[in-house]
């Protein structure tokens, strides 16, 4: 029995050591207004979490808090076991937490190559590495970001985040303003980033079925509460499970 307990303890220790980002009892919001509460998350290297829920559920506020753009109202965030100071975006970024916001926040007067060069603080990935993931950016390298199509701008926003060598990549509404066919091309790249680079990815996405196809886990926020969570494949196999949650949020 002692030997079994020792093995179990070793497994638990290894699982804890594999966790890249962890939230415990996290509450997020603006000032004294609590938007979402009691959020517990633990994600390991290469995992993709689809963060789902209706508009106003607190998804973007949660990502902004994880990135240090907003202070946490309660609880804590840890990266590689080290607690992040609340509301310190620069520190979060240095610890490897990188946000791709829904407005993409590109330098529109700079070329594709210049946008990537500015962001290449880690110098782990080269321009050729990026082109392998996003071939069209290679063909448009000398075009300013403002001249790119919406899909190309989103590719550039994700590519620029990758140049910062993220341990945790937060992507807010990748499909904003894009045709579904473009989203179908982009989301598999997110899966490849997790698999090949090993980044943890937390993805807010309105095309739920596409997000579930590339995610490992799903978490559903409704009115600031975690209403459901589990393996993404289980949600994909039971579409009524999500429909009930979304419908109940309007009542």
């Amino acid at each position: 029995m002692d030997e079994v307990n020792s093995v179990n303890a070793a497994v638990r220790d290894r699982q804890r050591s594999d966790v890249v980002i962890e939230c415990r009892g996290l509450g997020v919001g603006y000032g004294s207004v609590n938007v979402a509460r009691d959020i517990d998350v633990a994600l390991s290297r290469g995992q993709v979490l689809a963060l789902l829920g209706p508009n106003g559920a607190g998804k973007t506020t949660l990502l902004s808090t994880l990135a240090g753009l907003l202070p946490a109202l309660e609880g804590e965030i840890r990266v590689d076991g080290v607690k992040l100071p609340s509301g310190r975006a620069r520190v979060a970024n240095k610890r490897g937490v990188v946000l791709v916001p829904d407005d993409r926040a590109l330098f529109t007067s700079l070329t594709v190559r210049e946008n990537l060069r500015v962001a290449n603080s880690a110098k782990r990935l080269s321009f050729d590495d990026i082109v392998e993931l996003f071939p069209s950016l290679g063909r448009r390298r000398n075009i300013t970001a403002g001249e790119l199509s919406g899909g190309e701008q989103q590719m550039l926003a994700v590519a620029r985040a990758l140049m910062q060598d993220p341990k945790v990549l937060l992507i807010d509404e990748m499909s904003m303003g894009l045709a579904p066919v473009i989203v179908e091309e982009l989301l598999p790249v997110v899966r490849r980033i997790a698999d090949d680079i090993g980044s943890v990815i937390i993805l807010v996405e309105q095309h739920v079925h596409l997000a579930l196809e590339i995610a490992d886990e799903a978490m559903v926020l409704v009115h600031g509460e975690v209403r459901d969570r589990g393996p993404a494949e289980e949600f994909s196999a039971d579409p009524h499970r999500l429909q009930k949650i979304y419908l109940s949020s309007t009542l």
Side-chain angles (χ1 to χ4, degrees):
M1 181 63 70
D2 289 341
E3 183 177 349
V4 172
N5 289 337
S6 296
V7 170
N8 289 340
V11 170
R12 288 193 297 270
D13 289 342
R14 185 170 64 251
Q15 289 173 337
R16 281 194 293 267
S17 67
D18 288 342
V19 172
V20 175
I21 185 167
E22 184 177 14
C23 307
R24 299 174 181 173
L26 189 64
V28 303
Y30 301 90
S32 60
V33 179
N34 198 315
V35 173
R37 62 200 70 82
D38 295 327
I39 297 172
D40 295 317
V41 174
L43 297 169
S44 300
R45 177 179 168 85
Q47 280 193 296
V48 178
L49 172 68
L51 183 59
L52 309 175
N55 291 336
K59 304 183 298 295
T60 293
T61 306
L62 174 56
L63 292 193
S64 297
T65 305
L66 294 177
L69 297 174
L70 293 172
L73 300 186
E74 58 186 357
E76 62 180 26
I77 305 165
R78 291 179 177 269
V79 174
D80 288 337
V82 179
K83 184 178 178 180
L84 288 181
S86 181
R88 300 280 298 279
R90 182 171 295 182
V91 175
N93 185 262
K94 286 185 176 180
R95 298 274 181 85
V97 183
V98 181
L99 172 67
V100 180
D102 58 5
D103 64 1
R104 298 165 191 153
L106 298 172
F107 298 110
T108 55
S109 62
L110 299 183
T111 66
V112 167
R113 184 182 281 276
E114 289 168 341
N115 264 277
L116 296 176
R117 185 181 297 128
V118 167
N120 193 14
S121 56
K123 302 189 183 304
R124 179 184 171 192
L125 296 179
S126 67
F127 185 76
D128 289 340
D129 294 325
I130 293 300
V131 169
E132 186 177 346
L133 285 169
F134 301 106
S136 65
L137 293 183
R139 297 188 292 271
R140 308 280 277 170
R141 69 187 69 196
N142 295 319
I143 302 298
T144 63
E147 297 177 90
L148 299 177
S149 68
E152 290 168 339
Q153 287 185 351
Q154 187 62 75
M155 293 177 196
L156 181 56
V158 175
R160 192 179 63 175
L162 290 180
M163 297 300 271
Q164 300 174 59
D165 193 18
K167 294 179 180 178
V168 181
L169 181 59
L170 311 171
I171 305 178
D172 193 8
E173 295 287 8
M174 172 180 276
S175 64
M176 182 74 71
L178 302 181
V181 66
I182 302 298
V183 181
E184 290 179 3
E185 295 177 3
L186 286 174
L187 283 176
V189 179
V190 173
R191 181 71 258 176
R192 185 177 172 188
I193 291 168
D195 292 339
D196 294 353
I197 298 176
S199 300
V200 167
I201 298 176
I202 301 179
L203 175 72
V204 172
E205 178 52 57
Q206 59 182 321
H207 289 82
V208 172
H209 69 288
L210 295 177
L212 291 174
E213 286 180 4
I214 60 100
D216 299 295
E217 307 254 345
M219 183 168 74
V220 187
L221 284 180
V222 176
H223 298 313
E225 296 181 350
V226 178
R227 190 66 58 86
D228 201 355
R229 66 195 309 167
E233 60 185 11
E234 291 184 3
F235 284 93
S236 294
D238 183 10
H240 295 294
R241 180 174 173 180
L242 276 175
Q243 288 174 6
K244 291 177 181 177
I245 296 172
Y246 276 69
L247 287 173
S248 68
S249 72
T250 63
L251 299 178

